[in-house]
């Protein structure tokens, strides 16, 4: 009597494997951000990240060859470029609130690490995408702020500011003070920046 063929061996589930890999990555990302916030970029080591994530060091090195790549991916994974559109009731107040938000974000540990990585002489492609997303988010907020100002009658609807230039006029001095001169960035200073921008718009 012919015996039935033995059952085919069960193939490993690719879905289960994928979930396991995603879980490992999520754990490593969270551990890297935690270490960064607690010990800073210089104090962060892949060994400590692996220990906190509960994985072997080689599991991290298979995906990220350097600490810079690991930290970049972790920060971008947790990076949300969206910002709230302030509505203080005036164009000047909205612009000051937007600049205040920028200053707050620049002094956060996450952003300091991103800025440091961006200044390093290494090619880290995801940083370009993060910068693009951040600029686009702030340009969108500027468009909303000026649309509200037109609706309130603060400026005429024929005013068509160059949002990219307006963003640079407001943000570049803040970056300079935070990263270079270390001079204070307070409400009086931000108000002066906004007044310069508005004076230029009115003159045109």
């Amino acid at each position: 009597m012919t015996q039935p063929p033995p059952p085919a061996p069960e193939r490993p589930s690719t879905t289960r494997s994928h979930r396991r890999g995603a879980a490992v990555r999520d754990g490593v990302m969270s551990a890297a951000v935690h270490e960064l916030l607690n010990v800073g970029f210089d104090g962060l080591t892949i060994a400590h990240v692996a220990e906190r994530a509960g994985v072997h060091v080689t599991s991290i090195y298979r995906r990220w060859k350097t600490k810079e790549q690991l930290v970049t991916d972790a920060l971008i994974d947790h990076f949300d470029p969206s910002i709230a559109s302030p509505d203080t009731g005036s164009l000047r107040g909205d612009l000051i609130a937007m600049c205040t938000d920028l200053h707050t974000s620049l002094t956060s540990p996450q952003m300091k690490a991103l800025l440091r990585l961006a200044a390093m002489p290494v090619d880290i492609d995801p940083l370009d995408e993060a910068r693009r997303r951040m600029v686009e988010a702030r340009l969108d907020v500027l468009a909303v702020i000026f649309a509200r100002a037109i609706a309130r009658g603060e400026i005429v609807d024929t005013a068509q500011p160059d949002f990219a230039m307006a963003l640079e006029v407001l943000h570049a001095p803040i970056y300079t003070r935070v990263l270079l001169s270390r001079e204070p960035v307070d409400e009086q200073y931000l108000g002066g920046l906004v007044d310069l921008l508005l004076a230029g718009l009115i003159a045109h």
Side-chain angles (χ1 to χ4, degrees):
M1 182 175 180
T2 305
Q3 295 292 326
E10 183 179 353
R11 300 180 64 182
S13 168
T14 56
T15 302
R16 190 182 308 132
S17 174
H18 172 73
R19 287 176 180 170
R20 187 165 56 246
V24 169
R25 183 184 186 281
D26 290 345
V28 171
M29 295 290 93
S30 296
V33 170
H34 184 278
E35 287 293 304
L36 180 66
L37 296 180
N38 281 274
V39 302
F41 182 83
D42 290 331
L44 183 147
T45 66
I46 289 183
H48 287 157
V49 172
E51 182 179 0
R52 174 166 292 278
V55 301
H56 199 277
V57 172
T58 56
S59 297
I60 294 181
Y61 277 115
R62 276 198 297 268
R63 295 171 172 83
W64 300 277
K65 304 303 181 185
T66 66
K67 180 173 78 170
E68 288 79 9
Q69 291 176 346
L70 172 62
V71 172
T72 300
D73 275 1
L75 288 173
I76 292 176
D77 195 64
H78 287 73
F79 175 63
D80 181 6
S82 63
I83 60 173
S85 177
D87 190 1
T88 65
S90 73
L91 174 59
R92 184 176 187 273
D94 288 352
L95 292 174
I96 291 175
M98 181 179 179
C99 290
T100 300
D101 175 85
L102 172 68
H103 178 243
T104 300
S105 70
L106 286 180
T107 54
S108 70
Q110 298 97 319
M111 186 59 71
K112 283 182 178 179
L114 270 179
L115 291 172
R116 177 169 180 174
L117 287 166
M120 288 183 175
V122 293
D123 294 327
I124 307 177
D125 293 337
L127 285 176
D128 292 334
E129 175 65 13
R131 281 191 289 260
R132 183 188 64 78
R133 289 165 58 198
M134 185 168 61
V135 170
E136 288 181 353
R138 293 191 174 273
L139 288 175
D140 290 342
V141 169
L142 265 182
V144 171
I145 288 174
F146 276 93
R148 286 200 191 116
I150 292 174
R152 287 191 296 256
E154 291 184 85
I155 56 176
V156 296
D157 58 6
T158 56
Q160 296 293 331
D162 183 334
F163 292 136
M165 181 173 290
L167 194 69
E168 292 177 1
V169 168
L170 291 176
H171 285 14
I174 301 173
Y175 275 90
T176 298
R177 289 209 167 194
V178 170
L179 301 176
L180 297 177
S181 71
R182 304 296 177 89
E183 292 292 323
V185 178
D186 52 23
E187 187 171 354
Q188 181 180 359
Y189 176 73
L190 296 179
L193 288 180
V194 170
D195 290 340
L196 283 175
L197 173 66
L198 295 179
L201 290 176
I202 293 172
H204 289 81

